[in-house]
Amino acid sequence: MAKRTRTRTVMALALAAAAVWAARDVPAQIGGRAGGARRTRVESSPQFAGGKFRNTVPATEVVAASVPRLAVAAATGREARRPRLPVPLVTAAPGGDADGLHITWYGHSSALIEIEGRRVLLDPVWSDRCSPSRLAGPRRLHEPPVPLRELPPIDAVLISHDHYDHLDMVTIQNLADLQAARFLVPLGVGAHLERWGVPAGRIVELDWNERATVGGIEFVATPARHFSGRGLTRDETLWASWVINGPNRKVFYSGDTGYFPGFAEIGAEHGPFDATLVQIGAYGEDWPDIHMTPEDGVATHVDVRGGLMIPVHWATFNLALHDWAEPADRTWREAKARDVKLAVPRPGERVDVDNPPSVDGWWQQIV
C-alpha cells in the first residue's frame, strides 16, 4: 500500500514538473505590448478607436451560446479533418532567376516569394504546434518541407497578424539568428518581436496603406477583415493583407480575412497582380466574417485583378470543422467556374508563375 502511494506521488510530481516545463515559455509566447513611441503610433492610427483596432466593415464574433455546440462538433468526425495518407512533400531548391517570379508554398500560410532576384518569406511557422503550449494546441499534419536552417538568404520576412498560426516565436527567433532579413509587420506587432530578441532596427511596422522599400521591393500594408490577439486581450495589434511590388512584377497576399469590398479597392489602386496567395481554409458558419470560404477566396483573387492564384491557409493545421480536402476541392471547382488560373502545389513545390503546373488533384489521392 505504502509503495503504491509512493509511486502515485512520484508520478504526480513528475506530471507537475512536466507541466511546469511545458508552461515555462507561455508568457514569452504571448509576446509584448506596445509602449512608448510604438504605443503613440498605435493610438494615432485611423484604424484604432476605443482602445483597439477596428475593421472598416465590422465582423461578427463567435457567440458564447455556440461554444458548446462547436465543442461537440469538434469531438466528432475527426477522421475527415485529416488526410488518411501522408501529405506528399517536395524538396525544391530556390533558384537564381533574377528576372523571374517563383512561389514556394511550405504549408498553411508559410511561403517563399522569389521576385526579381529578391526573396520574401510569408508568415513562417516551423514549430510542431501553433499554440503557446508545447503540449496542447493544433499540431502539424505534415513536417516542414525544408528545415529552417536550409532556407536561402531572405531579404524580408512578412507577417500578416499575430495569431499563433502566422506568428511563431521560435521560428522568428531562429530566423533572427540565421538570417539578416528585415521583418515587416502591422502596427503593434513589433512589440512581440522585440520581446523575442529581434533588434529594433530590423523591424518595420506599417499601418494600412503605408509603404516601405527593402532591397528594391516595395511593400504596402493593405486592409483585411480579421482580428488579433495572443492572450486574453484582442485587437491591440493590427492585421493586414500585403502588396509586394517588384520593379516589374507584383504579388498580393490576403493574410487571414473575411471577404469585404476593400479587395476591389486594392485591385483598383494596386493591381493587376501577377500572382495572389489567398486564404481559403479554416472557415465556418459561426465565424463567417473573419475567414473566407473558398468561393470568397476566388472572388478576392478576381477583385484584386490577380493572374495566377495559389490557395493558402489549408492542409497543415486542423483549425475548423470542415473536411481536410474540402478547401482545395471547392477552390478548384470555383476557379474553373470563373475561369481563374489556379495552381495548387504540394508543400515545398516551387511554382514558376509564368509556367505553373496543371492542377492534378493530388490531395484527393490521400483522403
Side-chain angles (χ1 to χ4, degrees), residues 10-352:
V10 170
M11 290 180 63
L13 289 172
L15 288 172
V20 170
W21 175 85
R24 74 190 192 282
D25 288 338
V26 170
Q29 287 272 12
I30 291 173
R33 298 186 71 178
R38 177 176 286 117
R39 183 68 188 180
T40 300
R41 283 198 69 200
V42 164
E43 293 178 348
S44 300
S45 169
Q47 282 58 251
F48 194 82
K52 63 180 184 179
F53 284 101
R54 311 275 179 166
N55 286 299
T56 55
V57 178
T60 56
E61 300 180 9
V62 177
V63 297
S66 301
V67 173
R69 176 177 55 80
L70 291 172
V72 172
T76 60
R78 293 180 177 179
E79 295 80 8
R81 294 198 292 273
R82 60 176 53 243
R84 180 176 53 89
L85 299 175
V87 176
L89 306 180
V90 177
T91 302
D97 313 67
D99 299 321
L101 178 58
H102 297 78
I103 296 174
T104 304
W105 176 60
Y106 294 120
H108 200 57
S109 294
S110 301
L112 178 68
I113 300 172
E114 299 172 84
I115 178 169
E116 299 182 90
R118 299 297 184 180
R119 297 189 180 101
V120 181
L121 188 61
L122 305 183
D123 284 350
V125 175
W126 257 249
S127 290
D128 189 50
R129 295 184 188 273
C130 55
S131 165
S133 170
R134 301 187 184 197
L135 300 179
R139 194 169 190 176
R140 300 185 71 94
L141 299 176
H142 65 81
E143 293 295 318
V146 60
L148 202 62
R149 64 182 178 277
E150 294 183 12
L151 289 180
I154 305 297
D155 295 283
V157 177
L158 208 60
I159 303 296
S160 63
H161 64 296
D162 72 359
H163 286 158
Y164 289 97
D165 58 319
H166 294 260
L167 180 64
D168 177 60
M169 180 184 77
V170 175
T171 302
I172 293 297
Q173 289 174 328
N174 285 332
L175 283 171
D177 289 339
L178 293 168
Q179 299 278 351
R182 305 281 291 278
F183 293 80
L184 291 99
V185 302
L187 277 184
V189 177
H192 299 319
L193 273 60
E194 279 202 51
R195 180 170 185 184
W196 299 336
V198 179
R202 292 176 60 184
I203 301 170
V204 179
E205 285 183 88
L206 299 180
D207 200 349
W208 288 349
N209 302 312
E210 290 185 338
R211 303 163 183 256
T213 298
V214 176
I217 305 297
E218 181 188 61
F219 299 89
V220 188
T222 42
R225 190 184 184 197
H226 200 52
F227 70 107
S228 66
R230 297 174 71 84
L232 298 178
T233 58
R234 285 182 50 161
D235 302 339
E236 292 185 344
T237 63
L238 188 58
W239 47 94
S241 58
W242 287 93
V243 170
I244 303 163
N245 287 330
N248 302 292
R249 313 302 297 268
K250 291 186 177 183
V251 177
F252 175 74
Y253 171 45
S254 72
D256 276 11
T257 183
Y259 184 70
F260 76 122
F263 291 125
E265 297 171 9
I266 291 169
E269 181 174 356
H270 299 286
F273 294 93
D274 297 285
T276 70
L277 296 97
V278 180
Q279 173 258 307
I280 64 157
Y283 47 85
E285 62 182 17
D286 290 284
W287 53 93
D289 301 332
I290 57 171
H291 280 167
M292 295 189 292
T293 64
E295 293 77 16
D296 290 337
V298 174
T300 293
H301 172 85
V302 173
D303 283 354
V304 301
R305 302 164 65 200
L308 177 70
M309 175 180 174
I310 297 180
V312 299
H313 205 266
W314 78 285
T316 305
F317 296 108
N318 182 0
L319 303 176
L321 301 177
H322 56 67
D323 290 357
W324 178 79
E326 183 181 298
D329 284 338
R330 288 173 58 174
T331 300
W332 194 10
R333 183 166 59 245
E334 185 71 5
K336 287 188 285 189
R338 301 195 63 167
D339 196 26
V340 164
K341 191 176 182 181
L342 180 70
V344 187
R346 295 156 178 79
E349 185 175 357
R350 183 172 184 257
V351 173
D352 182 344

